[in-house]
Amino acid sequence: MSPAAPVPVTVAAADAAARAELARYLEGAGFAVHAGARPPAPRAPAGSLVWVTDDDDAPADVVRALAAWLRAAPRGHVVVVTWHLAALRPAVEALGPRALALPAPVFGWTVVDALRGRADLR
C-alpha cells in the first residue's frame, strides 16, 4: 500500500520569518505547503488555508476570503490566526465546523490539530 499523498495547505502571513517557520512545521507534519504573504484566490482543489492576519486586515475581508476557500475546497479547512480574536471569532465560527479562529501567537501543533479537524479545539 502506498503512503497517502500530502494534504495541500496554503500558509499566508506577511511576516516572512513567521511564514517560513510555520511552513516548515507543517511540512514536517506531512502537509504539502505553499506559502505567500497574502492568500491567493482559491482554486479547486484548493486544499486548506492558514492565514496569520495583520493588524490592517479588515475582519470582513478576512471572513470573505475564508468563505471562498471553504467553497473551493469542500474537504479543506480554514484557520485564521489573529491578535484580534474577539473581532473575528464569531464570524469565523459562523462559517461552520471547518473554520477556526486561533489567538496569536500560536504553536505549530495547534495549527496541525486545527487542520486535521479536531473538534475539541472549539
Side-chain angles (χ1 to χ4, degrees):
M1 180 174 222
S2 64
V7 176
V9 64
T10 295
V11 173
D15 181 292
R19 182 175 62 240
E21 182 178 335
L22 183 54
R24 274 192 302 276
Y25 191 90
L26 292 174
E27 286 171 346
F31 292 91
V33 177
H34 169 77
R38 304 290 301 166
R43 59 195 180 285
S48 294
L49 171 66
V50 176
W51 187 0
V52 181
T53 62
D54 285 333
D55 285 340
D56 60 345
D57 289 324
D61 293 341
V62 171
V63 172
R64 268 193 298 279
L66 298 179
W69 271 82
L70 290 173
R71 284 190 304 274
R75 296 181 63 155
H77 292 79
V78 293
V79 178
V80 61
V81 179
T82 180
W83 291 97
H84 305 290
L85 188 60
L88 279 175
R89 179 176 264 164
V92 171
E93 286 180 349
L95 294 173
R98 295 184 301 127
L100 185 63
L102 298 174
V106 70
F107 293 108
W109 61 82
T110 305
V111 175
V112 169
D113 286 346
L115 289 170
R116 290 182 177 156
R118 288 193 40 191
D120 62 334
L121 289 176
R122 291 196 159 268

